[in-house]
Amino acid sequence: MSKDIRIKRGLTLRLKGEAEKQIVEAPRSKTYAIKPPDFHSVVPKMVLKEGAKVLAGDVLFFSKYAEEIKFTSPVSGTLKEIKRAEKRRIVEVIIEADATDSYKDFGTLNAATAPAEAVSEKILASGCGAFFMQRPYDVVADPKDTPKAIFISAVTTAPLAADLGFVLKDKVKSFQEGIYAIQKLTPGKVHLSVDDSSYPILKDIKGVELHKVSGPHPAGNVGIQIHKIDPVNAGERVWVVGADHVPVIGNLFLTGKVIAKKAVAVAGSEAKDPKYYDVVMGANSADLIGNQIPDDVRIISGDVLTGDRISNNHYLGFYHNTLTLIPEGNSYRMFGWLPFTYNNIHSNSKTSLSWLFPNKKYEPTTNLHGEERALVVTGEMEEVLPMDVYPMQLLKACMAGDIEKMENLGIYEVAPEDFALIDYVNTSKLEAQEIIRLGLDLMITEVG
């Protein structure tokens, strides 16, 4: 029986371009890429050189400061290029794919009965350890730590994000096997959060504590669920894994192979054919949306609130299950500062009449409608952050680098994605996610 969590504060953004509920096989990309910047705080140490032949599951690089964390190739082929940026920082490891994949064999294992050490070793050796994120700090989990609990969110509330209930409907067997494996990584509980879409699919999953979550965004953020279920205190660790990555872990134990596939929703008002594609992780965006994308269209790997801007013919983010296309905000409104002048855009502050139509869907652009301002509206941020923290004060502490205040104000409980709606609604136009990320990085450096 599930436990109910009802979130009241937040904001539901209804946008045009939702992906149609059908999954098609994506065309096979000529090249795939693993991008080290997707793994915050990881310094990659390459194992192979350009020109090396790889199988799907072969190690490409590992973390310089935690060698147990390995990152493997999603496909078989040839290591085509190690792309570097300033100071020779590795930004992409590009693999030229074979016509069909050949897999490294890790051997099958019954996760339910296997010892915890064997399960952990298999997950790390296969590169599936990269699926686990740690709270606090929102970084790749350190396998030397023992988390007090592991959290999985199968709740979709972000605008245009992939519906996890739809994505997982044919993967229940591998999902269950993945849960058996994840259970062995913690002495505590595995918490699985579901919504109305994913509950019918996952309600009978064994080995988890089930929570049914309802409410506006950010109810689907795992950080909000951790806050409501088992908050993180100083010195504690919890791990987080995406619901769409659990079947990949399950298939590792069922087949002995790293089958790095998941469903990606192509969505947004500028998407010509919004639907779901079954893709290999690290696929090229052009194989999903074509090459002829106008310059005035923004391509986002991820959702519109937390995703990364990419150019076409680029690669999907490791943790993303949505590819969003929206218009660039390169047009400006005359007298845009006047209230009730433009009523076809969404406004959380009721400066347009759109608030009279709560079910209307909007076509957003990337326009900020203003620049950073030296003012803060009291209570504005709290309306969209359903946590018992003071977001404005926490942001100020992060900007000042005051570690003691950051600790007292709840820095251990938050991640940048929890502040995404604050980015959207705050009158100050502050980049709240960036500020929180820098604050977390300071905590890693000074506190560890």
Side-chain angles (χ1 to χ4, degrees):
M1 185 175 177
S2 65
K3 299 180 180 180
D4 288 350
I5 300 173
R6 293 182 175 88
I7 304 298
K8 294 182 179 179
R9 287 183 289 161
L11 177 64
T12 298
L13 289 173
R14 292 180 171 85
L15 307 182
K16 294 180 181 179
E18 185 177 349
E20 184 183 348
K21 296 293 178 63
Q22 68 172 104
I23 298 180
V24 299
E25 189 73 24
R28 186 168 177 81
S29 298
K30 292 181 179 178
T31 57
Y32 292 80
I34 298 294
K35 300 184 288 185
D38 287 344
F39 314 106
H40 190 79
S41 81
V42 168
V43 178
K45 193 81 171 176
M46 292 300 302
V47 173
L48 302 173
K49 296 181 179 180
E50 291 180 359
K53 293 288 185 180
V54 295
L55 299 174
D58 276 344
V59 176
L60 299 173
F61 58 90
F62 59 87
S63 173
K64 181 178 179 180
Y65 301 112
E67 296 184 8
E68 304 93 335
I69 305 174
K70 299 178 174 68
F71 301 86
T72 56
S73 175
V75 294
S76 63
T78 304
L79 204 168
K80 180 181 179 182
E81 183 182 1
I82 301 170
K83 189 172 287 188
R84 298 178 184 269
E86 299 85 3
K87 299 181 180 179
R88 292 184 55 78
R89 181 172 63 95
I90 300 172
V91 293
E92 287 179 351
V93 180
I94 301 173
I95 300 100
E96 189 173 48
D98 293 336
T100 57
D101 284 326
S102 301
Y103 294 90
K104 181 176 181 178
D105 186 8
F106 290 95
T108 60
L109 185 67
N110 187 332
T113 59
E117 187 176 344
V119 170
S120 178
E121 287 177 358
K122 183 180 281 290
I123 287 174
L124 292 171
S126 65
C128 289
F131 294 146
F132 294 86
M133 301 293 287
Q134 170 196 294
R135 301 294 174 92
Y137 306 141
D138 193 35
V139 294
V140 177
D142 187 340
K144 292 190 287 291
D145 292 333
T146 301
K148 71 169 183 175
I150 296 178
F151 288 81
I152 303 164
S153 176
V155 181
T156 303
T157 58
L160 301 179
D163 183 336
L164 291 167
F166 176 71
V167 164
L168 296 171
K169 66 178 182 177
D170 297 323
K171 300 179 179 179
V172 175
K173 182 180 178 181
S174 55
F175 190 95
Q176 178 64 79
E177 189 69 16
I179 292 295
Y180 286 143
I182 291 168
Q183 272 187 299
K184 300 297 178 74
L185 303 180
T186 176
K189 296 178 180 178
V190 176
H191 297 277
L192 174 61
S193 299
V194 295
D195 56 14
D196 288 338
S197 173
S198 56
Y199 176 74
I201 309 299
L202 304 176
K203 63 180 179 179
D204 296 322
I205 293 294
K206 299 180 180 65
V208 298
E209 185 166 295
L210 199 64
H211 307 271
K212 193 171 183 183
V213 179
S214 59
H217 190 63
N221 285 6
V222 71
I224 305 300
Q225 297 157 19
I226 295 170
H227 180 79
K228 299 295 182 182
I229 298 166
D230 189 7
V232 181
N233 299 310
E236 294 180 334
R237 298 284 188 268
V238 300
W239 289 359
V240 172
V241 59
D244 52 347
H245 292 145
V246 176
V248 180
I249 297 170
N251 278 324
L252 170 67
F253 287 85
L254 292 171
T255 67
K257 302 173 183 177
V258 181
I259 304 173
K261 298 189 75 172
K262 63 179 177 181
V264 170
V266 174
S269 58
E270 295 299 310
K272 294 180 180 178
D273 189 14
K275 60 186 175 186
Y276 289 78
Y277 290 87
D278 198 20
V279 304
V280 176
M281 294 165 63
N284 194 307
S285 64
D287 293 303
L288 304 181
I289 58 178
N291 289 304
Q292 305 302 316
I293 303 298
D295 292 338
D296 59 354
V297 172
R298 175 74 61 91
I299 305 171
I300 304 168
S301 179
D303 66 68
V304 293
L305 294 175
T306 62
D308 299 322
R309 180 182 184 178
I310 62 172
S311 57
N312 202 15
N313 204 29
H314 204 65
Y315 302 96
L316 300 179
F318 186 83
Y319 297 104
H320 295 151
N321 58 14
T322 308
L323 185 64
T324 313
L325 288 82
I326 60 174
E328 286 283 2
N330 51 11
S331 60
Y332 299 93
R333 303 176 297 167
M334 182 174 290
F335 304 117
W337 47 271
L338 287 174
F340 311 115
T341 307
Y342 295 87
N343 297 312
N344 61 341
I345 63 171
H346 178 266
S347 173
N348 192 53
S349 58
K350 297 185 179 180
T351 55
S352 78
L353 297 178
S354 61
W355 66 273
L356 295 171
F357 308 97
N359 294 319
K360 181 179 177 180
K361 292 187 176 182
Y362 296 91
E363 184 177 327
T365 70
T366 61
N367 201 321
L368 292 177
H369 302 297
E371 58 188 8
E372 192 168 311
R373 302 155 180 164
L375 60 92
V376 176
V377 177
T378 303
E380 184 178 55
M381 298 179 182
E382 287 82 356
E383 289 180 359
V384 294
L385 183 64
M387 283 182 166
D388 294 328
V389 300
Y390 296 107
M392 182 176 69
Q393 288 82 353
L394 179 55
L395 287 169
K396 286 182 177 180
C398 290
M399 293 169 75
D402 190 326
I403 291 174
E404 185 176 351
K405 280 189 178 180
M406 289 160 64
E407 287 184 316
N408 292 336
L409 289 166
I411 190 69
Y412 293 121
E413 290 202 60
V414 302
E417 66 175 14
D418 300 325
F419 281 69
L421 277 176
I422 291 176
D423 273 358
Y424 177 74
V425 305
N426 85 86
T427 308
S428 311
K429 305 296 180 182
L430 290 173
E431 296 291 344
Q433 292 184 82
E434 181 181 350
I435 293 168
I436 292 296
R437 181 68 270 169
L438 292 173
L440 291 169
D441 289 346
L442 178 62
M443 296 299 295
I444 294 172
T445 303
E446 299 296 333
V447 180

